[in-house]
Amino acid sequence: NVLGIIIAGPTIMVHGTEEQKRRYLPKILNAEEIWCQGFSEPNSGSDLASLATRARLDGDEFVVNGQKIWNSYGHMAQQCLVLVRTDPSLPKHKGITALIVDMQSAGVTVKPLRQITGGAEFNEIFMDEAYIPDENILGEVGSGWTVAITTLMNERVSIGGQVSPRGGGFIGEVVKVWKR
């Protein structure tokens, strides 16, 4: 559950509601839920802000349509941190919202990406009229770019950052919240 502990947990600590922290952080720390990240898209290359996955509000739910690619653990994950475009009229770094998507939701399909070696370490996630409750917004509607930067900085620190002392850093903070 490395993605949950390193990426989702710290991002929820910063941008999540108190209810989201109570709901998700203990299950991330106990490895009861595996998380994945839905940022990359087939036609976006390295330009994350050009994402095309759309979400429109329908009552108290978002209806999500789009595709994510190069996803690790999507075939095993219970939750996915997904970036969606909620306002296409705004410049590309704006109008993006972060959603927590239950991978068992109707309309969510995960397919392996077969590589030349025959292996399938990565997946594609398809969302076709997937209904996601508005309580699963991480941050605010339209603040997805800020959530994405937080997530990517946590990922960067986990890959190349210095090691925090035992009980320190983001993971130490997540553990403190979980213990409370």
Side-chain angles (χ1 to χ4, degrees):
N1 191 24
V2 172
L3 287 177
I5 291 173
I6 293 174
I7 296 171
T11 302
I12 291 168
M13 290 282 303
V14 173
H15 298 285
T17 64
E18 289 306 312
E19 177 55 34
Q20 288 170 336
K21 291 173 188 176
R22 281 191 299 275
R23 156 67 178 92
Y24 297 112
L25 294 178
K27 290 186 178 191
I28 289 170
L29 287 170
N30 292 334
E32 290 177 49
E33 287 185 343
I34 295 172
W35 282 68
C36 62
Q37 180 179 319
F39 283 17
S40 299
E41 294 191 2
N43 297 316
S44 292
S46 61
D47 185 6
L48 177 60
S50 71
L51 64 92
T53 297
R54 302 286 173 108
R56 72 179 189 283
L57 195 56
D58 182 7
D60 59 354
E61 294 179 303
F62 283 94
V63 183
V64 181
N65 287 285
Q67 178 184 357
K68 300 297 180 173
I69 196 164
W70 302 118
N71 173 274
S72 301
Y73 305 109
H75 61 294
M76 299 185 305
Q78 287 79 36
Q79 305 294 337
C80 186
L81 178 54
V82 175
L83 295 179
V84 297
R85 183 150 316 275
T86 48
D87 189 345
S89 70
L90 294 175
K92 66 182 187 177
H93 290 85
K94 299 186 183 295
I96 296 172
T97 300
L99 297 175
I100 298 170
V101 173
D102 181 330
M103 295 297 283
Q104 302 305 309
S105 299
V108 175
T109 305
V110 179
K111 294 182 180 177
L113 275 173
R114 292 277 169 219
Q115 297 158 340
I116 198 165
T117 62
E121 290 86 23
F122 302 102
N123 306 278
E124 294 178 278
I125 300 172
F126 297 89
M127 289 166 279
D128 183 27
E129 296 291 299
Y131 282 79
I132 309 304
D134 65 4
E135 66 193 33
N136 287 22
I137 298 167
L138 189 57
E140 303 290 328
V141 171
S143 72
W145 187 250
T146 302
V147 174
I149 294 302
T150 300
T151 304
L152 295 171
M153 289 299 109
N154 290 329
E155 184 177 37
R156 176 181 277 175
V157 167
S158 74
I159 292 170
Q162 66 185 46
V163 176
S164 297
R166 184 177 175 97
F170 284 114
I171 292 177
E173 292 301 313
V174 171
V175 170
K176 287 177 192 173
V177 168
W178 179 71
K179 285 181 178 179
R180 281 188 294 209

